[in-house]
């Protein structure tokens, strides 16, 4: 069912893009929180889907088409869904208010030049139980740079560290495989970049 849904979405998206004047209109299509665990498939390992801090659970497709967008290119910059707010305002020439989407960073520059550096050094992910949630909701937070990702779980408390440049599927925890001062320094640098909240 999941594959059929994705195929139908792909077909309808193609029809939409064919019907829209992309010289005048921007189209943003973004996935929702990774793949459900029952549908997870290669390259993601089982257990690395939705409601997990792993790339299969938080990394989603994001497609943009429109005026000035480089067709067929792939951008590797760090982009968060909140960045859509700042980007749209940037594209229409409006300033970003400090009281609205203050964690939003424009990626308008990457639309025409997808290989240029993005505006983010880190992406931050957090999951905690929320009102109305049903079933077990694991609590975690994670922070990643272009290369490394630190995950901190609670209950029980533990940490994992991955080098996404050589291990994009997060199967080799550096804290276990390569303990030592170099690994600890990477862990500490990422941990220091975690945002703090009042």
């Amino acid at each position: 069912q999941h594959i059929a849904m994705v195929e139908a979405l792909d077909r309808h998206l193609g029809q939409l893009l064919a019907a829209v004047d992309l010289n005048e209109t921007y189209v943003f299509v973004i996935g929702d929180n990774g793949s459900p665990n029952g549908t997870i498939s290669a390259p993601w390992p089982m257990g690395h889907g939705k409601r997990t801090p792993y790339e299969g659970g938080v990394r989603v497709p994001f497609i943009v088409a429109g005026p000035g967008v480089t067709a067929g290119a792939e951008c590797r910059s760090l982009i968060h869904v909140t960045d859509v707010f700042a980007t749209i305002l940037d594209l229409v020439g409006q300033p970003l208010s400090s009281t609205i989407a203050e964690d939003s960073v424009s990626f308008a520059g990457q639309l025409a030049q997808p290989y240029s550096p993005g505006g983010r050094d880190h992406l931050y992910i957090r999951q905690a139980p929320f009102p109305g949630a049903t079933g077990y909701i694991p609590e975690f937070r994670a922070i990643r740079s272009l290369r490394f990702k630190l995950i901190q779980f609670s209950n029980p408390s533990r940490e994992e560290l991955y080098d996404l440049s050589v291990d994009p599927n997060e199967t080799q925890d550096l804290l276990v495989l390569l303990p030592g001062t170099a690994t600890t320094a990477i862990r500490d640098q990422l941990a220091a970049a975690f945002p703090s909240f009042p």
Side-chain angles (χ1 to χ4, degrees), residues 9 15 17 43 52 56 58 66 68 79 88 100-101 107 156 175 178 184 188:
L9 178 63
Q15 292 170 345
L17 292 174
T52 76
V58 296
I79 295 174
I88 290 174
I100 299 174
F107 56 84
L175 295 173
L178 295 171
T184 300
D188 292 347

Side-chain angles (χ1 to χ4, degrees), residues 2 17 37 45 48 50 59 63 80 87 90-91 94 99 103 105 118 122 126-127 131 138 140 143 158 164 169 178 186:
H2 182 75
L17 292 174
N37 278 309
H48 282 214
K50 193 181 290 287
R59 184 175 182 170
I63 302 165
H80 193 277
T87 302
D90 199 358
L91 291 172
Q94 294 296 313
T99 60
D103 58 347
V105 177
H122 298 90
R126 181 173 184 268
Q127 177 175 278
F140 58 75
I143 191 162
R158 73 180 195 279
L164 300 176
N169 302 331
L178 295 171
I186 295 167

